Amino acid sequence: MNILIINGPNLNLLGTREPHIYGNMTLNDINDKIKTEFSKNKDINFEFYQNNIEGEIINKLHDSISKVDGIIINAGAYTHTSLAIADAIKAVQIPTVEVHLSNIYSREEVRHKSFLSTCCIGQISGFGCYSYILAVYAIIKHLKNL
Ligand code: DQA
């Protein structure tokens, strides 16, 4: 099972970026925590990808066709603006879970709208690094038809 975890703009600055909202863990810390949590699942391969540029995220989604079984994406602020990323998720037809560290519905109204939610199998928002871990469990459940 190949699982691609995509992080969008500004998530490379986790650890120092608005820690009262996003916590103190760096993106590497989060990725390590995911690897540790699933270290016993020898059938899972993770690929971690971060990019600040919308078109690069779209290219990465296109590149995953026939290579990746499931995608987890935190598109950062592109969540609320990018019809293009939403279209790419639809186009590649790979089951995708949307995640957010913060609870986007308890924040400013502009963050309540997600362009990605209609093309993802589900969304997890508000649990910090555990949003990603819950998303991995969700994608496994989906891929194994549990
Ligand atoms: C975020 C929420 C977005 O609104 C914000 O622009 C981010 C991070 C989150 O993980 O909580 O960059 O996706």
Side-chain angles (χ1 to χ4, degrees):
M1 204 182 286
N2 294 320
I3 299 179
L4 170 65
I5 302 188
I6 298 179
N7 281 286
N10 301 309
L11 294 163
N12 54 315
L13 296 182
L14 288 177
T16 53
R17 175 191 178 202
E18 299 183 272
H20 56 292
I21 297 174
Y22 300 116
N24 295 307
M25 290 173 88
T26 65
L27 190 54
N28 275 340
D29 293 337
I30 293 176
N31 294 344
D32 285 346
K33 197 163 173 73
I34 297 167
K35 282 188 246 171
T36 306
E37 175 77 17
F38 295 96
S39 58
K40 290 201 182 106
N41 301 55
K42 300 290 178 211
D43 58 331
I44 301 182
N45 295 309
F46 288 111
E47 185 189 349
F48 298 96
Y49 178 82
Q50 191 277 330
N51 206 295
N52 292 320
I53 301 166
E54 187 177 24
E56 293 299 338
I57 294 170
I58 293 167
N59 285 339
K60 186 64 184 174
L61 287 164
H62 294 180
D63 282 350
S64 38
I65 295 173
S66 307
K67 294 181 195 149
V68 166
D69 303 298
I71 297 171
I72 289 162
I73 186 165
N74 183 350
Y78 288 141
T79 304
H80 319 296
T81 61
S82 183
L83 190 54
I85 292 178
D87 281 349
I89 293 171
K90 271 193 207 134
V92 300
Q93 293 183 290
I94 299 168
T96 299
V97 177
E98 173 185 354
V99 302
H100 301 285
L101 293 147
S102 62
N103 177 356
I104 56 174
Y105 302 101
S106 69
R107 299 183 62 194
E108 311 95 294
E109 208 171 332
V110 69
R111 295 181 202 274
H112 296 182
K113 162 84 185 158
S114 166
F115 278 89
L116 310 193
S117 58
T118 57
C119 34
C120 289
I121 58 171
Q123 183 201 69
I124 300 169
S125 175
F127 300 101
C129 69
Y130 291 98
S131 291
Y132 293 86
I133 287 171
L134 292 167
V136 176
Y137 280 114
I139 208 99
I140 294 171
K141 180 186 172 302
H142 181 86
L143 292 172
K144 291 193 171 170
N145 253 324
L146 297 173

